[in-house]
Amino acid sequence: MLEFKNVKFIYKSGVKEPILENLSFKVEDGEFISIVGSSGSGKTTIFRILNGLEDIQEGSVEIDGQDIRGLKNYSSYMPQKDLLLPWKTIEKNVMLPMSIQKVDKDLQKERAIEMLKQVGLEEYANKYPKDLSGGMRQRVAFARTLCAGANLLLLDEPFSALDYITRISLQEWLMKQWLDVKKTIVFITHDVEEAIFLSEKIYVVSGRPITDIEIKEVDLPYPRTREMLLDPRIQRLKEDLIDKLRTTEEEE
Amino acid sequence: MKKRLLAVGFGIFLIVLWYVIARIIDTTFILPTPFEVLAAIRNNFREIMTVHFVATMRVVLIGSLISLVLGLGFATAMIINSSLEKAIYPILTISQTIPSMCLTPILVMWFGYTVTTRVIVVVLMTFFSITVNVFDGFNAVRVETRELLSTYGANRKQIFWTLQVPTALPYFFTALKVSIPWAVVAASVSEWFGAQAGLGHFSKERMLSLDVPGLLAPLVVVSITALAITELIKFIERKVVTWENDI
Ligand SMILES: Nc1ncnc2c1ncn2[C@@H]1O[C@H](COP(=O)(O)OP(=O)(O)OP(=O)(O)O)[C@@H](O)[C@H]1O
Ligand SMILES: [Mg+2]
């Protein structure tokens, strides 16, 4: 379980106003959570804190009751851009987290091939990133994220740079991956429909500073299909979320 | 391909123009024709290649190797120690604008008409651009990529070898392409001040005996050598850097 407890955070550079203030929330193991909120509200900041890239001023962030400052490899981060290294083969890119963690060479290769099979790209193992389409590269980035070995996956708008058709097929793909690997996923997105389609709960962040999170449950069974989104209840939820995002946008 | 053709065409045009003007002036010791220069190369080919070319290239080679070691060393040291960077980097960028060849007379006063003097000229000519380019290359790494690696638990050494070194490679080749041809020129020019052998030395001897085709002959060799080295570096670069940098 992931838990933010009364967290206060201010960036050391730039505007000296808090981004998070007395913020508390929880994510249970195995959940699929989406975070939505207007641009610049602080979603990526929450991930940066979780990754240990930023230090908080007050409160604590805990995994299973332990402060993250004493932990290692508890989360795997997947950024918006795939950030594949152009001089490494696909396989070597997927192996990257393991080679940094000095995992045994044979095991690295074995795991990388396994993960590439999982994302359906094993025949591209010896190709280079430039040989792949945007959607495929994103799948490779996901395989690399899985190879970091953590149970908590932090995905920051992974599909936002893709075209619509690629995006919806990757959403369906990601849902299957989640049902397969049973890891905890926290997923940042701007796209309300994407959030509804994928997640069990949607966390709406708003305000500067962010002081609390409004949680919306998506009451649909898995595996989901696109038709389920046409349900009037879901349509109402969608309108409701869009309204929320709009008003927070206007306040700022 | 069309660009190539235009360049070759223009080159031929310049040589023809040279020939025509030389024929109009019609005085070999002011402006010889291209054929007279070619004849001078042919007549002295053995001497130019086995004595003078070898002497010049030895200086170029030694000087470039020293620059390579020093340049890569300094660039790496500046990455490791940021106060070193703050102290050295501004001076390095400014010193690039000093025409190092003009320092040759002082070097001659210190070290005489020796190989040492000329090697130092070559080092001065190449060291700065290698250091600055490689250092800039190390720093061209995207912040996001560096952060991603650190979320995997990478330390500075791992980030240096897996990320910064490959990113700097294209910058390194750019530095070589710019500086090594100039090293050949610098080595030759520094021989004018006094040397026992070398392409510049040969030119100077011929000048003293008013043999202008002989004076120009090594110049042609220098130009062709500089061009050939550039092409060689480009060839190696294509073999090594097979990707486009957008890290
Ligand atoms: N490294 C930084 N230093 C200082 N301020 C920053 C830094 N990164 C982000 N900020 C500021 O913090 C605020 C929140 O940024 P953040 O990137 O978390 O927003 P976001 O919700 O992820 O936005 P988007 O939806 O556009 O990705 C913004 O106002 C931003 O300008
Ligand atoms: Mg963001």
Side-chain angles (χ1 to χ4, degrees):
Chain A
M1 187 178 69
L2 158 70
E3 198 168 5
F4 268 55
K5 282 185 176 164
N6 310 315
V7 172
K8 174 176 184 172
F9 175 74
I10 308 177
Y11 275 110
K12 300 222 166 47
S13 61
V15 211
K16 290 265 189 293
E17 56 176 329
I19 308 282
L20 314 179
E21 177 89 70
N22 201 23
L23 177 70
S24 301
F25 67 87
K26 282 183 198 168
V27 177
E28 301 288 342
D29 283 346
E31 277 187 322
F32 197 127
I33 301 291
S34 286
I35 300 182
V36 300
S38 50
S39 194
S41 53
K43 304 181 295 296
T44 300
T45 305
I46 292 173
F47 275 13
R48 292 181 64 82
I49 292 168
L50 263 169
N51 280 330
L53 291 171
E54 307 287 348
D55 278 328
I56 54 175
Q57 278 80 20
E58 281 171 25
S60 64
V61 179
E62 296 174 5
I63 305 270
D64 299 329
Q66 285 186 304
D67 196 298
I68 56 165
R69 276 169 283 205
L71 298 175
K72 273 183 93 176
N73 301 333
Y74 51 87
S75 71
S76 310
Y77 174 53
M78 175 172 170
Q80 180 177 352
K81 301 192 195 93
D82 56 69
L83 301 179
L84 298 178
L85 303 181
W87 55 83
K88 284 189 186 287
T89 59
I90 295 306
E91 181 182 273
K92 287 268 159 53
N93 265 290
V94 173
M95 281 157 62
L96 188 65
M98 294 185 287
S99 87
I100 281 169
Q101 288 157 13
K102 302 210 172 75
V103 173
D104 174 75
K105 282 255 160 59
D106 293 336
L107 195 65
Q108 279 186 31
K109 195 165 163 98
E110 198 181 302
R111 293 261 303 153
I113 295 292
E114 195 184 309
M115 289 307 148
L116 282 173
K117 273 206 188 100
Q118 171 86 24
V119 303
L121 289 172
E122 71 268 37
E123 71 267 40
Y124 290 90
N126 295 316
K127 296 259 193 271
Y128 285 86
K130 66 170 167 22
D131 304 322
L132 273 63
S133 69
M136 287 154 113
R137 291 170 63 125
Q138 221 55 29
R139 275 149 65 195
V140 175
F142 186 77
R144 183 186 56 191
T145 311
L146 289 175
C147 277
N151 278 322
L152 172 61
L153 306 185
L154 308 174
L155 315 184
D156 193 349
E157 303 189 39
F159 307 146
S160 64
L162 303 173
D163 64 84
Y164 181 72
I165 298 298
T166 312
R167 193 160 70 226
I168 59 171
S169 60
L170 280 190
Q171 286 164 7
E172 282 158 19
W173 174 83
L174 178 64
M175 184 180 64
K176 286 205 194 77
Q177 297 286 314
W178 174 65
L179 293 172
D180 270 9
V181 297
K182 267 297 160 198
K183 298 202 175 205
T184 314
I185 295 186
V186 183
F187 185 94
I188 293 178
T189 177
H190 273 115
D191 184 339
V192 169
E193 205 170 279
E194 181 171 77
I196 294 174
F197 179 68
L198 284 170
S199 42
E200 302 177 279
K201 293 179 195 156
I202 299 174
Y203 288 15
V204 186
V205 297
S206 61
R208 166 72 52 90
I210 300 173
T211 51
D212 65 342
I213 280 178
E214 187 176 348
I215 301 177
K216 294 273 174 196
E217 306 235 354
V218 184
D219 186 16
L220 286 175
Y222 292 92
R224 293 176 179 171
T225 59
R226 301 235 145 239
E227 290 78 62
M228 292 181 184
L229 297 178
L230 300 174
D231 185 323
R233 276 181 316 133
I234 298 303
Q235 286 295 321
R236 268 199 303 282
L237 173 62
K238 187 176 162 188
E239 291 308 321
D240 190 23
L241 283 166
I242 290 174
D243 273 351
K244 286 223 159 52
L245 292 179
R246 223 184 245 151
T247 46
T248 60
E249 195 108 309
E250 277 156 13
E251 277 163 20
E252 273 152 25
Chain B
M1 201 57 223
K2 201 175 169 197
K3 246 164 68 187
R4 268 253 158 87
L5 232 76
L6 277 174
V8 170
F10 190 61
I12 292 171
F13 168 75
L14 285 180
I15 292 172
V16 171
L17 191 70
W18 170 12
Y19 177 75
V20 171
I21 295 175
R23 285 308 293 263
I24 293 168
I25 296 175
D26 201 22
T27 321
T28 301
F29 66 83
I30 293 179
L31 183 66
T33 66
F35 297 111
E36 287 168 315
V37 176
L38 275 182
I41 295 178
R42 205 172 46 233
N43 295 339
N44 301 292
F45 193 72
R46 273 198 76 119
E47 191 192 340
I48 290 180
M49 293 315 284
T50 58
V51 180
H52 304 294
F53 178 77
V54 171
T56 304
M57 288 316 286
R58 193 168 70 123
V59 169
V60 171
L61 199 71
I62 298 173
S64 305
L65 281 178
I66 293 175
S67 278
L68 222 61
V69 172
L70 281 181
L72 295 179
F74 266 80
T76 311
M78 287 196 294
I79 285 292
I80 293 171
N81 187 330
S82 66
S83 31
L84 202 65
E85 176 208 334
K86 290 193 188 82
I88 300 177
Y89 188 78
I91 299 174
L92 280 179
T93 37
I94 294 169
S95 62
Q96 268 189 307
T97 58
I98 300 171
S100 338
M101 265 186 267
C102 303
L103 296 176
T104 316
I106 299 182
L107 293 174
V108 168
M109 293 199 25
W110 292 345
F111 302 104
Y113 301 111
T114 57
V115 170
T116 312
T117 300
R118 278 168 273 144
V119 167
I120 294 175
V121 173
V122 170
V123 170
L124 287 176
M125 204 68 198
T126 50
F127 165 71
F128 301 108
S129 78
I130 292 178
T131 313
V132 169
N133 267 290
V134 171
F135 180 71
D136 288 348
F138 285 153
N139 281 325
V141 170
R142 251 155 82 167
V143 184
E144 295 113 298
T145 316
R146 180 199 283 264
E147 285 181 346
L148 181 66
L149 258 68
S150 69
T151 69
Y152 299 146
N155 56 30
R156 277 181 67 185
K157 196 173 147 198
Q158 288 174 315
I159 287 178
F160 181 74
W161 286 109
T162 42
L163 206 55
Q164 292 181 292
V165 169
T167 309
L169 266 178
Y171 291 76
F172 173 65
F173 279 107
T174 304
L176 292 188
K177 280 185 287 190
V178 174
S179 63
I180 305 290
W182 275 107
V184 182
V185 175
S188 312
V189 171
S190 64
E191 284 157 4
W192 279 67
F193 290 87
Q196 285 73 48
L199 295 168
H201 165 77
F202 184 88
S203 275
K204 190 188 170 192
E205 298 280 282
R206 294 303 149 125
M207 186 189 74
L208 296 178
S209 51
L210 293 184
D211 172 13
V212 179
L215 181 160
L216 291 177
L219 223 76
V220 175
V221 176
V222 168
S223 311
I224 291 174
T225 309
L227 265 176
I229 291 176
T230 313
E231 287 305 316
L232 179 70
I233 297 170
K234 277 189 193 161
F235 176 77
I236 298 172
E237 183 182 17
R238 275 196 299 273
K239 291 271 165 249
V240 177
V241 184
T242 49
W243 65 91
E244 270 160 45
N245 245 357
D246 68 330
I247 330 88

